[in-house]
Amino acid sequence: MTSTTTAAPEAAAAEPMYRILLIEDDEGDALIVEELLHDTGLRFTLTTRTTLAQARTELAGNPIDCILLDLHLPDVSGVNAVTSVRELAPHTAVIVLTGLSEDRAGTDAMAAGAQDYLVKGKVEADLLQRTLRYAVYRSQTERASAEAQAARLRAEENARLERGLLPQPMLDTSTVKVTSRYLPGAEMALLGGDFLDVVEGDDGLLHAVVGDVSGHGPDAAALGVCLRIAWRSLVLGGHRGNDLLHLMERILMAERGSQQLFATCTLLTLDQDAGTATLHLAGHHEPLLTTEAGTRELTAAHGIALGIVPEIRSWPSTVIPLPATGALTLYTDGLTEGHNGNKAERLGVEGLLALIGTLPPTDPAAHIDLLIKETHALNAGRHSDDLAVLRLDWGSRPSGL
């Protein structure tokens, strides 16, 4: 038997609407429950299903606030009925309907996860009203508590991953100002596989990396942390250029397991004395160079991303002359792949440079924050990707990013 019933319209508008699923195979008992619900004065919708199988379909397609459950159904009975329903709807209030002769059935049902129980033949409208309200309130409170706990765990996990993905720069004598930012692709999401780092080697040169592991979530983030730590260790151990990228690729392939993850990255070595920057691009885009004349994208040779065709092992270097004063900005594609306002196309590098040209001059940290804010405003939430930005300033501060 299936029925959907709504309380009388004169019910108070402030009263919440309870979506109730009655799982009961006895038509007479189902009719009594429906009449009692009308007598409670509650606003409700009632859907009746006669088997657990029918209830499973209902729960899969519709939100339910409270389940009224008979313990003796054609396809399940007793405590098994409660556990089965709880598995189907773990965050929905469950009130068990027991018989007069079932002394322990109600307490056993609550031990199995039901919020409360009612004895058939002893239920009055006032009791049903109080029981239903309390059961739904308790279920909602438990769900809110579980969601809060999950949010705390996500925040703690993000903090641990962030420490691995965004380390403190290791600078000894360098006067370069380092500014970095990282944002996950969605609010409350786990960090993805973007990573960055900056260290000063024993040779006095400044070494930087920005990378992006394919995919999102904890697996990509864990691999990003691994590659970032590997990069720092290898750089401090004296590895450079193709040798460094080859070793990083070997580590990536060993750590990714059966997942076909790959990574793009930009390696940069900044030599202030020589006034040069040496770039190695592994499937990644070029950095931006800012001078007193403005901001432009550098031109550099490209190599293949790590983990796609390991046999190639070719990442050509490009040496860029630098002005006495300037800034280099390395970033992942989360900064450029969002939409460009109301237009259908992506922002892209050209749109990013045009946007930078409109921003007022300010200090590096404020400038990056404003740039990220403006790109997010243009995107309006239509594209979601992780975003990492690393900016290196030397000499007097340029007037723009």
Side-chain angles (χ1 to χ4, degrees), residues 6-254:
T6 305
E10 60 268 15
E15 181 75 38
M17 175 68 76
Y18 293 98
R19 296 163 296 189
I20 302 170
L21 172 62
L22 172 62
I23 312 177
E24 170 65 76
D25 64 327
D26 187 297
E27 291 188 10
D29 288 344
L31 182 59
I32 291 172
V33 170
E34 183 175 347
E35 291 175 347
L36 283 169
L37 283 169
H38 279 290
D39 291 340
T40 63
L42 297 174
R43 299 175 66 236
F44 69 91
T45 61
L46 175 65
T47 301
T48 302
R49 294 292 181 261
T50 59
T51 66
L52 180 64
Q54 292 179 3
R56 179 181 290 109
T57 302
E58 184 68 27
L59 290 168
N62 299 291
I64 297 295
D65 297 310
C66 184
I67 298 170
L68 300 177
L69 174 65
D70 178 38
L71 287 182
H72 302 288
L73 300 171
D75 50 354
V76 69
S77 63
V79 172
N80 290 337
V82 180
T83 56
S84 297
V85 167
R86 292 294 292 172
E87 289 173 0
L88 294 174
H91 300 299
T92 300
V94 177
I95 300 174
V96 165
L97 304 176
T98 71
L100 291 171
S101 61
E102 298 174 302
D103 294 336
R104 290 187 51 84
T107 54
D108 290 344
M110 291 185 66
Q115 267 69 38
D116 212 332
Y117 71 95
L118 295 170
V119 180
K120 293 180 181 180
K122 291 188 176 181
V123 182
E124 296 181 354
D126 289 345
L127 176 60
L128 178 58
Q129 182 196 71
R130 291 194 302 270
T131 302
L132 195 149
R133 278 179 167 168
Y134 175 74
V136 171
Y137 172 78
R138 179 181 170 188
S139 177
Q140 291 174 344
T141 301
E142 290 173 352
R143 181 172 186 173
S145 177
E147 290 175 348
Q149 176 66 9
R152 286 193 293 270
L153 292 175
R154 283 196 299 269
E156 292 172 1
E157 180 70 6
N158 272 2
R160 286 192 295 270
L161 291 172
E162 187 173 353
R163 286 194 294 270
L165 292 166
L166 299 174
Q168 288 296 318
M170 289 183 61
L171 305 178
D172 295 324
T173 61
S174 176
T175 59
V176 173
K177 178 179 177 60
V178 178
T179 307
S180 63
R181 293 291 185 271
Y182 189 111
L183 293 176
E187 187 177 356
M188 295 304 298
L190 281 172
L191 298 174
D194 292 7
F195 60 95
L196 55 83
D197 201 355
V198 179
V199 300
E200 183 178 347
D202 292 337
D203 51 12
L205 303 181
L206 194 71
H207 304 276
V209 63
V210 164
D212 184 359
V213 177
S214 61
H216 304 278
D219 291 332
L223 187 54
V225 171
C226 178
L227 291 176
R228 201 280 305 166
I229 294 173
W231 176 87
R232 175 175 282 202
S233 301
L234 291 169
V235 167
L236 293 176
H239 296 276
R240 303 288 185 266
N242 270 30
D243 175 47
L244 171 58
L245 286 165
H246 169 55
L247 292 173
M248 289 179 65
E249 185 170 54
R250 289 187 61 188
I251 292 169
L252 180 149
M253 295 177 64

Side-chain angles (χ1 to χ4, degrees), residues 165-166 180-186 190-196 210-212 216 329-338 347 352 368-369 371-376 379 383-390:
L165 292 166
L166 299 174
S180 63
R181 293 291 185 271
Y182 189 111
L183 293 176
L190 281 172
L191 298 174
D194 292 7
F195 60 95
L196 55 83
V210 164
D212 184 359
H216 304 278
T329 302
L330 292 72
Y331 60 94
T332 57
D333 53 16
L335 193 64
T336 55
E337 286 196 347
L347 179 65
L352 180 66
I368 291 178
D369 289 338
L371 179 61
I372 293 173
K373 178 182 177 181
E374 292 299 322
T375 58
H376 281 189
N379 185 41
H383 175 75
S384 179
D385 197 3
D386 305 313
L387 182 158
V389 182
L390 174 64

